[in-house]
């Protein structure tokens, strides 16, 4: 009687180990069965693709000429000398009136007018030989942002052009000319346009430029926060800066916005003194960040 009880107790002690072994064996068997089913359902290449881990894209690096100061916009088909010097380029995709700076299959399909016969694919192939990072500057036509339906239609059309540029080797989009501060255009519609474009670009960075007149007021911080929530980067459009102040005075007025919101600065190529002052400031800020 005693030996039977001992045997029963010993068997009870071994039962967890048996359960573990049975579970492991069942898991192995299930894995084999599922693997065989996958092989029957999928081809070898499809199976390998299914098992491959997703790759994390490398984040691009920036130089001050593109990251902080947009002043020299490259025209497709032009000389690459300046691009070779900095290796980063801002490409003008269209004019303020919406006329494209190139021709392409998507542009032809959408019947978007162009003032150049430069082919996008050929021009981008040349540019990619010299540039390691390419920012596409895209002007948005203000009159069409009059209602939500028109806004969505405009965003879909523009995003199709932007995606084509990105597929040809572009790295990001910078929206310029949005009608911030225009009382005839609701800010909510502008934000809807930005959101629609951003969702269409997927992982590509989207930067949005705001004029100083739109943010230098009591609602400026609220506006920048709303725009920042819909895009990746903010830029300050200072192309209207005139000779009423020195370049240092203009930059001093903008310094808070540039540093607080990590904004880029949009300048005209003709603003030579302001460009020089801005690039000096950019270099100083870059040194400070590196030192930190």
């Amino acid at each position: 009687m005693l030996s039977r009880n001992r045997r029963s107790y010993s068997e009870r002690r071994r039962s967890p180990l048996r359960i573990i072994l049975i579970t492991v064996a069942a898991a192995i068997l299930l894995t084999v069965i599922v693997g065989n089913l996958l092989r029957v359902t999928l081809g070898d290449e499809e199976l390998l693709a299914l098992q491959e881990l997703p790759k994390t894209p490398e984040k691009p690096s920036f130089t001050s000429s593109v990251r902080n100061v947009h002043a020299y916009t490259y025209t497709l088909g032009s000389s690459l000398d300046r691009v070779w010097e900095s290796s980063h380029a801002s490409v003008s995709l269209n004019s303020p009136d919406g006329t494209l700076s190139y021709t392409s299959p998507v542009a032809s399909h959408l019947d978007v007018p162009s003032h150049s016969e430069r082919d996008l694919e050929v021009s981008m192939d040349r540019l990619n030989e010299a540039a390691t990072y390419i920012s596409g500057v895209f002007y948005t036509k203000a009159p069409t942002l009059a209602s939500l339906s028109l806004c969505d239609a405009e965003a879909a059309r523009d995003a199709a052009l932007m995606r084509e540029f990105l597929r040809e080797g572009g790295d990001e989009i910078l929206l310029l000319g949005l009608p911030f501060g225009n009382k005839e255009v609701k800010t909510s519609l502008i934000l809807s346009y930005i959101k629609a474009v951003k969702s269409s670009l997927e992982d590509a960075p989207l930067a949005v430029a705001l004029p100083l007149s739109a943010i230098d007021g009591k609602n400026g911080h609220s506006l920048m926060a709303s725009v920042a929530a819909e895009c990746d980067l903010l830029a300050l459009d200072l192309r209207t800066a005139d000779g009423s102040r020195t370049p240092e005075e203009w930059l001093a007025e903008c310094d808070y916005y540039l540093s607080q919101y990590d904004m880029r600065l949009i300048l005209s190529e003709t603003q030579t003194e302001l460009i020089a002052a801005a690039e000096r400031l950019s270099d100083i800020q870059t040194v400070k960040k590196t030192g930190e």
Side-chain angles (χ1 to χ4, degrees), residues 35-208:
N36 289 333
L37 287 175
L38 282 174
R39 286 183 173 84
V40 171
T41 307
L42 302 174
D44 290 340
E45 292 183 359
E46 293 172 308
L47 181 61
L48 291 174
L50 184 65
Q51 295 171 338
E52 185 177 0
L53 293 175
K55 297 179 180 179
T56 303
E58 295 182 2
K59 292 185 178 181
S61 58
F62 296 92
T63 62
S64 61
S65 60
V66 169
R67 177 62 182 88
N68 296 322
V69 181
H70 275 258
Y72 307 105
T73 305
Y74 176 78
T75 302
L76 290 173
S78 299
S79 171
L80 294 170
D81 292 345
R82 183 180 292 166
V83 180
W84 283 112
E85 292 175 2
S86 66
S87 76
H88 292 189
S90 296
V91 179
S92 177
L93 299 182
N94 60 355
S95 302
D97 64 357
T99 305
L100 292 177
S101 305
Y102 58 85
T103 60
S104 71
V106 172
S108 298
H109 178 74
L110 296 175
D111 198 25
V112 182
S114 171
H115 61 68
S116 171
E117 294 300 321
R118 302 283 185 182
D119 180 76
L120 177 64
E121 181 180 2
V122 174
S123 299
M124 287 295 290
D125 283 345
R126 289 188 64 242
L127 182 56
N128 273 289
E129 294 177 0
T132 59
Y133 193 85
I134 305 174
S135 175
V137 182
F138 193 94
Y139 284 90
T140 301
K141 292 191 298 182
T144 55
L145 299 181
S147 68
L148 185 58
S149 57
L150 289 175
C151 175
D152 289 342
E154 188 75 6
R157 189 201 71 162
D158 292 349
L161 295 167
M162 297 174 200
R163 286 197 303 272
E164 183 182 41
F165 162 77
L166 295 170
R167 285 196 299 270
E168 296 299 340
D171 294 287
E172 69 168 16
I173 297 294
L174 168 63
L175 294 181
L176 199 57
L178 286 165
F180 293 106
N182 186 337
K183 296 181 179 180
E184 297 180 0
V185 182
K186 294 181 180 179
T187 302
S188 59
L189 290 178
I190 301 176
L191 295 175
S192 296
Y193 172 86
I194 297 172
K195 183 176 182 178
V197 169
K198 174 57 185 174
S199 64
S200 297
L201 301 186
E202 299 178 349
D203 295 332
L206 176 66
V208 176

